[in-house]
């Protein structure tokens, strides 16, 4: 470390160093099944934006016949975080496929 | 900023600490061991079916948690549920029963420690205490599992591993997004399975490992036994636990994976 602050635990392990980046979690967004949306980061202070999604559900999704569970697609571009859910059905190899959207929590911030 | 301090990294001039927000901090950790269990999978209009797979459950109390895992075992957080502040996550270790280290980060009032540095906001609330163990994000992955060369016909993407290096840091993976790719083996169309003679199915599962120096995303092939009603074999390939991403081979394909890569050194 060149200058600044270091914090040690009782065993002299470094817990925090100013060369660390503390992820600044700016928010958690509830995304209900099927929703799409976007956030432009507030309090944006030149860090790198991040986003990740934890899906809902007490069961493990699998493919059942023509039903395909799917969580939103997450995009991070510049200071914008976008999520897109699919709700429509489509066809594949002559079969009708129904996408079952799954909701969850999006954690976002900068680091 | 009305009160407190602002702290910047020495190299990048990025704000690390100030008095205007309260960061997530580690509120719980532990090690859990997976074992083969019968787990409810999807319910379709004709009923529910089940897998017999190595899983572990972790329960904890939190308001808005980021759940993370670490260790040399490939693991996928495949389900999360909550009732109020009581949360349970399901961890699948497809290579067999194993131990997985876990961490919970949540919004919490920092403990009032007796040494170090503290930052208060203008409401005189403690928002940073240097003795606390904060969510330290060192990377963010959002990527796509490659499409199998056989395209939309039977077949799984081959197993692969992507590595993300962080020298000297112990890495945990939070808020993970883990695709499941079903393939190769047809379901018996429209029939129930026979108790004692379980049907099996091949799948690919996206998993994460976090060790000292790196995080790894592993796409693993495994075989699962299933029980219960299944209504046909029309669709036998999709990334079912991940996001719906269009591409030519999978018109409904869902193959995004991701996670927050966290520094948990000495946590």
């Amino acid at each position: 470390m060149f200058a600044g602050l270091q914090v040690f635990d009782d065993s002299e392990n470094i817990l925090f160093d100013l060369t660390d980046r503390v992820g600044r979690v700016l928010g958690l967004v509830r995304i209900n099944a099927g929703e799409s949306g976007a956030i432009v980061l507030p309090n944006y202070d030149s860090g790198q934006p991040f986003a990740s999604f934890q899906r809902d559900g007490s069961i493990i999704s699998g493919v059942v016949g023509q039903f395909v569970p799917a969580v939103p697609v997450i995009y991070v571009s510049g200071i914008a975080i976008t999520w897109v859910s699919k709700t429509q059905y489509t066809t594949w190899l002559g079969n009708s496929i129904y996408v079952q959207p799954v909701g969850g929590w999006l954690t976002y911030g900068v680091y | 900023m009305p009160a407190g301090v602002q702290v910047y990294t020495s190299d990048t001039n990025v704000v690390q600490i100030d008095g205007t927000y309260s960061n997530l901090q580690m509120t719980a950790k532990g090690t859990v061991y997976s074992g083969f269990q019968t787990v409810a999978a999807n319910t379709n209009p004709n009923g529910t079916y089940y897998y017999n797979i190595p899983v572990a459950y972790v329960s904890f109390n939190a308001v808005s948690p980021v759940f993370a895992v670490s260790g040399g075992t490939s693991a996928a957080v495949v389900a999360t549920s909550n009732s109020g502040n009581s949360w349970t996550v399901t961890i699948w270790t497809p290579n067999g029963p194993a131990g997985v280290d876990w961490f919970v980060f949540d919004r919490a009032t920092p403990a009032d420690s007796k040494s170090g540095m503290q930052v208060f906001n203008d409401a005189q609330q403690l928002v940073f205490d240097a003795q606390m163990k904060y969510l330290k994000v060192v990377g963010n992955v959002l990527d796509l599992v490659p499409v199998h060369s056989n395209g939309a016909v039977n077949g799984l993407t081959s197993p692969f591993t992507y590595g993300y290096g962080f020298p000297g840091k112990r890495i945990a993976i939070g808020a993970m997004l883990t695709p499941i790719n079903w393939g190769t083996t047809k379901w018996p169309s429209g029939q129930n399975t026979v108790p004692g003679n379980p049907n099996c199915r091949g799948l690919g599962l996206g998993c994460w490992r976090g060790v000292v120096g790196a995080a790894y995303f592993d796409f693993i092939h495994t075989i699962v036994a299933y029980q219960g009603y299944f209504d046909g074999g029309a669709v036998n390939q999709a990334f079912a636990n991940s996001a719906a991403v269009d591409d030519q081979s999978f018109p409904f394909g869902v193959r995004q994976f991701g996670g927050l890569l966290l520094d948990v050194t000495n946590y």
Side-chain angles (χ1 to χ4, degrees), chain B residues 4 27 32-33 54 56 75 80 107 116 123 136 140 144 151 156 158-159 164 171 183 185 195 208 225 249 255 260-261:
Chain B
T27 55
V32 69
Y33 297 88
T80 305
R107 291 188 194 282
K136 293 195 288 191
N140 182 205
L144 300 176
L156 296 169
S158 299
Y164 307 88
I171 303 300
T185 308
W208 285 95
S249 298
R255 58 195 183 91
L260 297 178
L261 308 187

Side-chain angles (χ1 to χ4, degrees), chain B residues 186-261:
Chain B
K186 290 273 189 185
W187 291 93
S189 183
Q191 67 184 55
N192 290 302
T193 59
V194 179
N197 184 21
N199 287 281
C200 294
R201 189 127 200 261
L203 62 83
L205 178 65
C207 295
W208 285 95
R209 279 178 288 145
V211 297
V212 175
Y216 297 98
F217 177 79
D218 299 316
F219 190 75
I220 291 171
H221 284 187
T222 187
I223 301 290
V224 298
Y226 69 88
Q227 304 166 1
Y229 188 84
F230 183 75
D231 70 347
V235 176
N236 69 345
Q237 181 169 314
F239 292 90
N241 203 35
S242 181
V245 178
D246 283 320
D247 65 52
Q248 293 181 344
S249 298
F250 299 91
F252 55 91
V254 279
R255 58 195 183 91
Q256 190 174 42
F257 67 92
L260 297 178
L261 308 187

Side-chain angles (χ1 to χ4, degrees), chain B residues 1 23 33 50 57 78 89 92 97 140 174-175 185 223-224 264:
Chain B
M1 190 182 76
N23 211 329
Y33 297 88
Y50 302 87
Y57 301 100
V78 289
V89 300
W92 185 352
N140 182 205
T185 308
I223 301 290
V224 298
V264 292

Side-chain angles (χ1 to χ4, degrees), chain B:
Chain B
M1 190 182 76
V5 298
Q6 286 188 313
V7 178
Y8 295 82
T9 54
S10 56
D11 55 346
T12 58
N13 216 33
V14 173
V15 173
Q16 299 296 286
I17 304 162
D18 68 21
T20 61
Y21 76 103
S22 177
N23 211 329
L24 302 191
Q25 60 179 282
M26 190 180 79
T27 55
K29 68 171 184 175
T31 301
V32 69
Y33 297 88
S34 61
F36 277 95
Q37 299 194 50
T38 299
V39 177
N42 263 16
T43 299
N44 70 8
N46 297 310
T48 299
Y49 66 98
Y50 302 87
Y51 309 133
N52 185 25
I53 54 176
V55 293
Y57 301 100
V58 178
S59 295
F60 55 90
N61 289 316
V63 178
S64 52
V66 169
F67 183 82
V69 299
S70 185
T73 298
S74 299
V77 175
V78 289
T80 305
S81 63
N82 72 298
S83 174
N85 290 343
S86 178
W87 293 75
T88 300
V89 300
T90 305
I91 303 170
W92 185 352
T93 56
N95 289 332
V100 177
D101 296 331
W102 56 269
F103 302 87
V104 175
F105 296 88
D106 192 15
R107 291 188 194 282
T109 303
D112 189 4
S113 62
K114 303 303 181 191
S115 63
M117 185 186 79
Q118 295 180 323
V119 177
F120 295 83
N121 65 15
D122 53 2
Q124 299 183 345
Q125 295 166 329
L126 183 61
V127 295
F128 179 87
D129 185 310
Q131 294 292 337
M132 294 300 102
K133 294 171 178 172
Y134 287 93
L135 182 85
K136 293 195 288 191
V137 180
V138 294
N140 182 205
V141 174
L142 286 173
D143 204 346
L144 300 176
V145 172
V147 175
H148 186 265
S149 59
N150 287 347
V153 190
N154 288 344
L156 296 169
T157 298
S158 299
F160 68 91
T161 293
Y162 290 166
Y164 307 88
F166 299 95
K169 297 181 187 300
R170 182 189 180 202
I171 303 300
I173 298 88
M176 68 168 64
L177 193 54
T178 56
I180 298 175
N181 178 197
W182 301 88
T184 64
T185 308
K186 290 273 189 185
W187 291 93
S189 183
Q191 67 184 55
N192 290 302
T193 59
V194 179
N197 184 21
N199 287 281
C200 294
R201 189 127 200 261
L203 62 83
L205 178 65
C207 295
W208 285 95
R209 279 178 288 145
V211 297
V212 175
Y216 297 98
F217 177 79
D218 299 316
F219 190 75
I220 291 171
H221 284 187
T222 187
I223 301 290
V224 298
Y226 69 88
Q227 304 166 1
Y229 188 84
F230 183 75
D231 70 347
V235 176
N236 69 345
Q237 181 169 314
F239 292 90
N241 203 35
S242 181
V245 178
D246 283 320
D247 65 52
Q248 293 181 344
S249 298
F250 299 91
F252 55 91
V254 279
R255 58 195 183 91
Q256 190 174 42
F257 67 92
L260 297 178
L261 308 187
L262 309 176
D263 177 5
V264 292
T265 307
N266 299 323
Y267 278 20

